[in-house]
DNA sequence: ATGAAAGCGCTAACAG
DNA sequence: CTGTTAGCGCTTTCAT
């Protein structure tokens, strides 16, 4: 029995002839190799990394920012023979607090994307189950490792770039602030209340430069069409802003499209900047001014951290660098 | 011991008081509920559905066609407490035949997307392991269930629509034909050789109408930028086609962008049609003429089939209907 | 180099 | 209604 095991795993001392004989009879008996379930129980390891997508899957999948990170992660995990299990995060506001999979599925480590807000039930569930967790782009909480980027500095750099060009009427289009996912201009009171970490940080980046946006426009998701709505709302008025800073590239590209639709030239009539540095082939020949973040690297870094957590090592938080990339969508304000 | 199990599962006869007592002591002992590994071995079920993405994950993720189906599937599987494990399909031409995960990961059922070509090592591996399999958009092979759409009729409908408008110089832009992923015009000889099922069927749909395309242009992947390259190549010449039928919406939207770039009006100077029926906010205000396929439904249907396979039932193949949706990108040829 | 045996944690069957 | 027990399939000692 142990011999058979060795024959398949290849590890351990075994005569080549015996090995061949075992594999031969296995083939005859229609035995397809060791049952992973038995192996997992014995080893106490499932070989599975749960990836909690902190948004409706459909939305997350439509966003290259998520999928590129996921791709980098899967690429790093594959060779380690670790699989990625997709776990939906909290979806609708009235849905049960956490997906049943999160309660019951086998996973050695969890990666929580877009998560880690204050009282996140996802994190408390994982903590209760004793599953080591790494959070992407979330708030720093005790007991979990966080991988993020320097949102705030990046956003400040873009805003400063616009200030340097001479803009004074600057609007900003934000990611969702909480699970209510309101759409439209936001008032002062709302800005004081808690909001999702990533949205807060990128907003703070703008404020850090001293700019007070003429409008802060919240969107329900990082999607082109929501950017387009925001653009129509912001740029349809005669006292429109001369520059729009967006918290994501998808939103920014929507704003550019809305501007074109309204007959405004970018950047002569209005400047638009984004955040993320994804490819936007449909804006061609324009290239969006944006803050580039290392998305695939982020996935690989996550992979490395997962590896360390699995080895039982202590892991450090990571803040990855970003850089301003000036494209063709920003320029001096109209005279 | 069994009592504890019952307390957690909730199934079976147990006094509410006992139950409470068990849960209470569990909390004190820091026991976080049954270990899924033990449960899985005992039940002989992992609760995991392997989804093999028959393309580099990065590419598949950038394609709404894959992600919408995946989303529909995850949505259906979630309530059944089944998780989706991402398994990369064969990636680079020189990579090992199949991903190690496919060999060794626990999964009760496999869903193979874009797979099922003649000698697919993915399918033979699954068959050897005895894992029930459903294939999406692949060739009908013995022992596996296939879910697909009526590509051929759909493509014929689009082509006929162009013929009815009076077009005679029609080009077609195709999906990849094999894993070589060539880019450029294809010669007659190539068309005779075997090619990926989906590409073949959509090509046959065009030919069914009697049209002989002036150019058949192969792309390496269904992405906007490849459509744009194709568009530049096809429309840059003075004897350009008056209509371009594309095998996907992403490709078609690239062609539209290329046309605009070249100063051609769509549809006055050139008509463009796609396939899939995804949202293309960046083409606004244009709406692509396309063949709509029920993507989310396809995911749900897959979910239902997975359920049936799990129950050990015989399952039938499914061919889902498609419908032509005429948008603003097709019109009569220029005089 | 090979074979025997224990036990990972669970649940279903059965005895009390 | 509650407690005991066997065994899912594997791998890893430990003898041989």
């Amino acid at each position: 029995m142990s011999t058979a095991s060795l024959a398949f795993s290849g590890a351990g001392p075994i005569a080549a002839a015996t090995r061949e004989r075992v594999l031969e009879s296995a083939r005859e008996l229609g035995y397809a190799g060791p049952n992973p379930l038995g192996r997992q129980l014995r080893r106490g390891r499932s070989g599975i990394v749960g990836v909690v997508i902190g948004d409706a899957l459909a939305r997350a999948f439509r966003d290259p920012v998520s999928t590129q990170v996921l791709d980098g992660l899967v690429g790093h995990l594959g060779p380690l023979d670790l699989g990625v299990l997709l776990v939906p995060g909290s979806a609708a506001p009235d849905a049960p607090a956490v997906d049943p999979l999160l309660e019951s599925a086998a996973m050695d480590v969890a990666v929580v994307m877009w998560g880690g807000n204050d009282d996140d039930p996802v994190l408390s569930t994982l903590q209760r189950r004793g599953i080591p967790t790494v959070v992407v782009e979330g708030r720093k909480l005790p007991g979990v490792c966080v991988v993020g980027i320097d949102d705030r500095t990046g956003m400040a750099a873009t805003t400063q770039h616009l200030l340097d060009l001479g803009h004074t009427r600057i609007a900003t289009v934000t990611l969702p602030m909480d699970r209510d996912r309101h759409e439209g201009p936001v008032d002062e009171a709302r800005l004081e209340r808690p909001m999702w970490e990533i949205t807060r940080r990128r907003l703070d980046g703008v404020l850090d430069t001293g700019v007070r946006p003429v409008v802060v426009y919240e969107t329900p998701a990082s999607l082109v069409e929501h950017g387009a709505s925001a653009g129509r709302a912001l740029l349809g008025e005669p006292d429109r802003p001369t520059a729009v800073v967006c918290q994501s590239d998808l939103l920014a590209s929507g704003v550019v499209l809305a501007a074109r639709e309204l007959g405004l030239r970018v950047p002569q009539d209005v400047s638009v900047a984004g955040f993320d540095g994804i490819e936007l082939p449909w804006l061609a020949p324009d290239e969006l001014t944006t803050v580039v973040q290392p998305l695939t690297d982020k996935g690989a870094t996550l992979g490395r951290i997962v590896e360390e957590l699995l080895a039982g090592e202590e892991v450090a938080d990571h803040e990855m660098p970003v850089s301003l990339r000036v494209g063709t969508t920003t320029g001096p304000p109209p005279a």
Side-chain angles (χ1 to χ4, degrees), chain A:
Chain A
M1 199 57 234
S2 72
T3 314
S5 182
L6 291 182
F8 277 98
S9 73
I14 187 170
T18 320
R19 173 154 196 251
E20 203 43 59
R21 204 161 47 79
V22 171
L23 291 165
E24 174 62 36
S25 13
R27 219 168 301 132
E28 276 176 28
L29 291 165
Y31 178 79
N35 178 333
L37 265 30
R39 188 218 304 262
Q40 285 173 18
L41 177 59
R42 180 61 231 249
R43 293 215 176 133
R45 283 261 164 108
S46 62
I48 285 179
V49 176
V51 175
V52 184
I53 312 276
D55 198 347
L57 246 47
R59 251 191 313 247
F61 283 152
R62 287 180 63 188
D63 188 350
V65 175
S66 312
T67 58
Q68 275 184 51
V69 173
L70 199 50
D71 180 62
L73 178 64
V74 173
H76 191 96
L77 259 32
L80 303 173
D81 218 350
L82 292 171
V84 166
L85 183 76
L86 290 179
V87 181
S90 33
D94 55 342
V98 298
D99 194 277
L101 276 179
L102 194 70
E103 294 280 6
S104 62
M107 52 185 102
D108 300 332
V109 185
V111 176
V112 178
M113 301 186 71
W114 295 88
N117 299 292
D118 256 335
D119 50 347
D120 197 333
V122 167
L123 290 180
S124 53
T125 303
L126 288 167
Q127 216 137 24
R128 186 165 43 73
R129 291 188 59 188
I131 297 173
T133 302
V134 45
V135 170
V136 192
E137 298 304 343
R139 176 191 289 268
K140 176 62 197 152
L141 290 167
V144 299
C145 164
V146 176
V147 173
I149 55 172
D150 193 355
D151 296 281
R152 197 158 167 170
T153 308
M155 210 53 171
T158 322
T159 312
Q160 191 59 52
H161 163 66
L162 290 168
L163 286 175
D164 293 347
L165 286 167
H167 290 272
T168 51
R169 296 184 51 74
I170 300 178
T172 189
V173 176
T174 79
L175 294 167
M177 297 188 174
D178 60 24
R179 51 194 308 179
D180 292 347
R181 298 177 176 278
H182 278 302
E183 171 158 18
V186 169
D187 61 21
E188 281 296 326
R190 179 69 194 88
L191 293 178
E192 303 301 326
R193 295 217 304 281
M195 66 178 76
W196 280 347
E197 187 65 11
I198 188 171
T199 312
R200 168 64 74 195
R201 288 214 304 256
R202 297 193 184 172
L203 197 52
D204 283 346
V206 173
L207 302 178
D208 284 348
T209 61
V211 164
R212 288 298 160 269
V214 291
V215 184
V216 175
Y217 194 100
E218 179 183 2
T219 63
S222 179
L223 295 175
V224 176
E225 53 264 45
H226 296 310
S229 308
R232 281 183 216 109
L234 291 172
L235 302 175
E237 308 293 324
D239 61 338
R240 59 169 195 267
T242 61
V244 183
V245 194
C246 306
Q247 291 193 353
S248 85
D249 281 355
L250 287 183
L251 290 172
S253 71
V255 172
V256 171
L257 294 173
R260 288 184 186 164
E261 230 179 276
L262 291 165
L264 299 174
R265 292 161 307 159
V266 176
Q268 291 84 350
D269 298 319
V270 60
S271 287
V272 181
F275 197 109
D276 289 333
I278 61 174
E279 278 178 50
L280 299 166
W282 60 83
L283 282 192
D286 266 321
E287 226 190 280
L288 189 69
T289 294
T290 191
V291 176
V292 182
Q293 61 161 315
L295 291 169
T296 312
D297 265 15
K298 201 150 89 175
T301 301
L302 281 173
R304 232 170 301 120
I305 291 179
V306 165
E307 218 175 331
E308 290 167 13
L309 285 172
L310 232 34
E313 297 170 25
E314 263 323 292
V315 290
D317 293 347
H318 280 253
E319 178 155 287
M320 310 195 67
V322 297
S323 64
L324 178 64
R325 183 171 71 200
V326 177
T328 61
T329 59
T330 47

